[in-house]
Amino acid sequence: MTALDLSSPVAVVGTGTMGQGIAQVALVAGHPVRLYDAVPGRARAAADAIGSRLDRLVEKERLTAADRDAARARLRPAEDLAGLADCALVVEAVLERLEIKQELFRELEGIVGDDCLLATNTSSLSVTAIGGALARPGRFLGLHFFNPAPLLPLVEVVSGFATDVASATRAYETARAWGKTPVACADTPGFIVNRIARPFYAEAFEVYENQGADPATIDAVLRESGGFRMGAFELTDLIGQDVNESVTHSVWQSFFQDVRFTPSLAQRRLVESGRLGRKSGQGWYDYRDGAERPEPHTAEPAEPPAYVVAEGDLGPATELLALIREAGIEVREEDEDKGTRLVLPAGGQLVLADGQTSVEFRDVVYFDLALDYREATRIALSAAQQTSPRTLAQSTGLFQALGKKVSVIGDVPGMIVARTVARIIDLAHDAVARGVATEEDIDTAMRLGVNYPLGPLEWSRRLGGDWACAVLDNLHECTPSGRYAPSLALYRHAYASDKREGSPS
């Protein structure tokens, strides 16, 4: 099954920001494009706006003047839905209300030809439910573009329960012919990106609600240690708190209020107060004129230890041993398997975040996961009130000697990056096991859709087969609500790995 021929007209219904973006993508790819909006005059205004954007592309030398003129000639507003009768593909980008979308497609079904593909750009509604209103739902599917559609490469091609394989394949190949990177997925709440990305926001909010750290510090750790392009608080301010919370609530409800997707009460209060982020001037941060951006907590300089004793395998943090030596600090390695930790001269221990808390042990400081300990510019530490001040100071001084800024947070199990990455990995394995998408498509979707530094399955392989499962096991023991219980898929993955052996008795 091949992509739609470039001579085939493509229609976009709904001419808001997303609708205009999708129309521009199809237009620049070479299709004739029809625009329709139920509000009189909007389709014409949208065509003019797209024309202006094409002018800017010419100014930036991303499009030739001849190609712009040809594209403008292919763009035509439609006075009514009947004007879309000859289209080979109709993409809908109207209000996120099920009954409105169903009525639109019922009407379109009586207008377009039998071989016309019908697609919704919904991000939160069930593709199956929308298509359920049709007499021929086999040609109906989801084409979920990301905003701004002309710039972001990812398109989730969503097959509803009744979608024909041939229809999904043609839509997939068409998106690829448009220069996009399509990924195929089944119709599940949140599809790929909005399903697997929920913990990125939820765990940051959870640390904040438990007074583990302030938003600026959490964001800084996610960026400078975790390698994420933006922190959860600044990203939701950019998206809009109302929009982000609405997606979270939709996924939670669609999964029958699964505790793994529980919305944040702190975010709900933010929305109720009208602090929606950048668009309202205030969100987690203040964007009004003259407002100062809060600084993350950064520890004062401290003396590093003269040496450390490495006991056991540091796993994902093994690279630290080389960095410590390069900083001129002696590393004494013990062959005995006493655990996975660094022992400081004062007798205290430094341990990679594993889902447990410092209060459970005598004189332990936890340090957070980093995407790359050599490249990380900030490391988070956590300690209990009972932890020796000397141990915390030596731990702080050690990472400062490696050129890192240090943020000391509360005694939070799993800290910030570790708990977030473990949950993202878990949801990714669960999605693969349930047939939502392939490992490759999930990794591609998360890298391109939300700019993650690694795909979650790639992260899983790097950290080791049982790492995420062990972290979540410990988190579940600390907070046995079910939120952190590892999925069956993750358990199977962990026990199939080389690092964990199990056999029935």
Side-chain angles (χ1 to χ4, degrees):
M1 183 63 66
T2 58
L4 293 176
D5 189 272
L6 289 180
S7 64
S8 303
V10 172
V12 178
V13 179
T15 58
T17 301
M18 182 58 78
Q20 290 182 32
I22 296 170
Q24 181 179 328
V25 170
L27 189 65
V28 171
H31 288 271
V33 173
R34 312 278 187 266
L35 288 174
Y36 174 76
D37 198 291
V39 178
R42 281 194 180 174
R44 170 56 63 186
D48 292 341
I50 293 171
S52 296
R53 284 197 288 275
L54 295 179
D55 289 339
R56 289 196 291 274
L57 290 177
V58 172
E59 292 170 4
K60 295 177 181 178
E61 298 183 347
R62 296 178 183 173
L63 191 70
T64 67
D67 286 342
R68 173 201 59 197
D69 294 342
R72 279 181 165 173
R74 294 193 302 270
L75 181 61
R76 193 176 78 198
E79 296 297 325
D80 50 34
L81 288 177
L84 313 182
D86 64 337
C87 290
L89 168 64
V90 180
V91 184
E92 161 273 316
V94 302
L95 290 174
E96 288 287 271
R97 288 176 56 184
L98 178 62
E99 64 277 9
I100 291 177
K101 294 179 186 290
Q102 288 178 326
E103 179 58 33
L104 169 65
F105 283 109
R106 273 195 294 261
E107 192 171 352
L108 282 168
E109 195 172 35
I111 294 172
V112 299
D114 290 344
D115 58 349
C116 176
L117 291 176
L118 299 176
T120 174
N121 184 58
T122 186
S123 62
S124 61
L125 299 177
S126 164
V127 170
T128 301
I130 299 171
L134 301 179
R136 295 182 58 238
R139 59 170 165 174
F140 182 78
L141 67 148
L143 278 178
H144 182 217
F145 290 77
F146 288 73
N147 194 29
L151 297 180
L152 295 186
L154 184 68
V155 178
E156 292 176 317
V157 181
V158 186
S159 292
F161 188 77
T163 303
D164 293 334
V165 172
S167 297
T169 302
R170 171 152 283 188
Y172 183 98
E173 293 300 331
T174 297
R176 185 157 63 177
W178 291 357
K180 295 301 179 182
T181 303
V183 292
C185 66
D187 183 23
T188 185
F191 310 140
I192 298 174
V193 173
N194 280 328
R195 171 181 177 146
I196 296 174
R198 293 346 300 158
F200 179 74
Y201 313 109
E203 295 311 308
F205 298 160
E206 182 71 8
V207 172
Y208 167 76
E209 290 184 44
N210 280 288
Q211 299 188 29
D214 61 277
T217 300
I218 295 170
D219 278 352
V221 172
L222 286 169
R223 289 193 313 270
E224 299 171 39
S225 182
F228 293 96
R229 185 166 297 185
M230 298 180 74
F233 296 91
E234 58 191 343
L235 180 55
T236 53
D237 269 356
L238 178 64
I239 295 169
Q241 298 302 330
D242 52 339
V243 173
N244 182 260
E245 195 218 20
S246 176
V247 173
T248 298
H249 196 270
S250 174
V251 172
W252 175 62
Q253 289 282 26
S254 297
F255 276 114
F256 307 104
Q257 299 186 358
D258 187 329
V259 69
R260 294 177 302 165
F261 302 101
T262 301
S264 161
L265 181 59
Q267 188 179 39
R268 174 92 290 263
R269 293 291 180 258
L270 208 63
V271 173
E272 289 174 340
S273 69
R275 298 188 175 192
L276 307 181
R278 289 180 179 271
K279 63 186 177 183
S280 69
Q282 284 182 286
W284 296 110
Y285 300 108
D286 192 338
Y287 300 94
R288 294 172 297 180
D289 290 343
E292 293 185 8
R293 181 70 174 261
E295 293 293 325
H297 168 76
T298 302
E300 294 295 323
E303 286 293 321
Y307 67 89
V308 295
V309 179
E311 294 184 348
D313 180 9
L314 293 184
T318 298
E319 187 179 21
L320 281 177
L321 299 182
L323 298 179
I324 293 169
R325 290 189 177 99
E326 290 169 17
I329 298 171
E330 181 186 359
V331 176
R332 303 174 183 174
E333 295 190 61
E334 294 195 358
D335 294 333
E336 297 179 38
D337 186 10
K338 296 181 179 179
T340 55
R341 60 196 179 189
L342 295 174
V343 180
L344 301 166
Q349 302 171 23
L350 252 177
V351 181
L352 175 62
D354 59 5
Q356 296 176 292
T357 59
S358 294
V359 74
E360 300 174 56
F361 305 97
R362 184 187 68 82
D363 211 13
V364 164
V365 171
Y366 277 105
F367 64 95
D368 208 350
L369 180 70
L371 173 69
D372 183 326
Y373 283 99
R374 184 172 293 276
E375 298 298 325
T377 58
R378 182 180 298 271
I379 295 293
L381 303 179
S382 71
Q385 290 183 347
Q386 298 87 347
T387 302
S388 162
R390 187 180 177 191
T391 296
L392 180 57
Q394 287 186 344
S395 301
T396 300
L398 174 65
F399 281 103
Q400 288 173 339
L402 307 186
K404 318 298 183 187
K405 295 178 182 178
V406 174
S407 293
V408 179
I409 69 171
D411 189 17
V412 179
M415 302 191 67
I416 297 170
V417 180
R419 68 192 291 157
T420 300
V421 171
R423 288 210 58 217
I424 290 170
I425 287 172
D426 182 46
L427 290 187
H429 279 288
D430 184 56
V432 172
R434 294 177 184 274
V436 173
T438 64
E439 289 191 11
E440 181 181 1
D441 276 355
I442 287 174
D443 279 350
T444 297
M446 301 312 291
R447 286 196 308 268
L448 298 183
V450 277
N451 289 312
Y452 283 3
L454 294 175
L457 284 313
E458 185 181 2
W459 227 325
S460 179
R461 290 188 290 272
R462 175 187 283 200
L463 294 170
D466 62 347
W467 179 85
C469 192
V471 171
L472 292 177
D473 268 338
N474 289 332
L475 276 164
H476 180 56
E477 186 174 342
C478 287
T479 53
S481 65
R483 176 185 180 118
Y484 300 104
S487 66
L488 177 60
L490 188 63
Y491 263 125
R492 285 172 171 161
H493 178 74
Y495 277 96
S497 71
D498 293 336
K499 290 186 178 180
R500 186 181 281 197
E501 295 181 0
S503 59
S505 56

